[in-house]
Amino acid sequence: MPYELQALIGTLELLTVAAAEVPTARVVPLAQGLALIPVTSAVLAALQGDGSVRKPVAGAGFGWHSDGFELRLAAWSKAGPVVCVEAEYFGGSGTQRAAVWADGRVVLGPLTIGEFEPVPPEGTPISRALRWIGARTGEGGTDEFASVGLGAHRSTGSWVPGD
């Protein structure tokens, strides 16, 4: 069964304020006081600014970011850290990328794990980024990804309330 996610993750309070600037953005509460904004095509279009998608730069590492998107992340991160994540899996293999923005800049990452690469001892990129913003492992040794509830839906669009 496939899994794909493009999202922003931060505290519920921070993302609620951030989403107020983007009419198409929806905030979905997660465990441990965190929340996510699914980066759907509508949200991405609203955040693109002038619409020019640029090549990944040393700080970002996400090919779908535009200058406008990164400027918003930088601004929001001045109020608290924002994690940008993407994951795509099918049949147990896939890719994951995460970066943490804080104080207006990228402070962790981008962290990437490619298809068929082993998970490093410190964990997956998303779990490491979540740990950086305070997420904890769950009971029974579940990683941060699972303990905050990122396995609740299998696609970015299914996180949007009412869809």
Side-chain angles (χ1 to χ4, degrees):
M1 181 173 247
Y3 179 92
E4 62 87 16
L5 177 66
Q6 286 184 336
L8 302 175
I9 301 172
T11 64
L12 179 59
E13 180 181 351
L14 173 64
L15 292 190
T16 299
V17 171
E21 297 179 17
V22 184
T24 56
R26 300 294 176 260
V27 178
V28 181
L30 297 170
Q32 301 185 27
L34 299 177
L36 70 75
I37 294 175
V39 182
T40 61
S41 56
V43 169
L44 189 58
L47 291 173
Q48 293 293 13
D50 65 4
S52 62
V53 175
R54 61 183 170 149
K55 293 180 181 177
V57 295
F62 295 82
W64 44 274
H65 284 188
S66 68
D67 290 330
F69 189 97
E70 291 189 13
L71 288 172
R72 289 279 180 106
L73 285 176
W76 293 338
S77 75
K78 290 179 182 177
V82 179
V83 176
C84 185
V85 301
E86 65 183 10
E88 189 171 342
Y89 285 89
F90 186 81
S93 65
T95 60
Q96 223 185 78
R97 177 173 290 133
V100 178
W101 292 74
D103 300 318
R105 61 187 174 83
V106 175
V107 295
L108 179 69
L111 306 171
T112 302
I113 189 168
E115 193 168 12
F116 306 115
E117 288 183 23
V119 174
E122 59 272 14
T124 65
I126 294 175
S127 285
R128 290 173 60 195
L130 291 171
R131 190 177 317 128
W132 198 96
I133 65 166
R136 299 166 312 282
T137 56
E139 291 182 24
T142 59
D143 67 3
E144 294 82 359
F145 182 101
S147 69
V148 301
L150 289 179
H153 298 284
R154 306 292 302 172
S155 69
T156 300
S158 63
W159 282 96
V160 179
D163 281 3

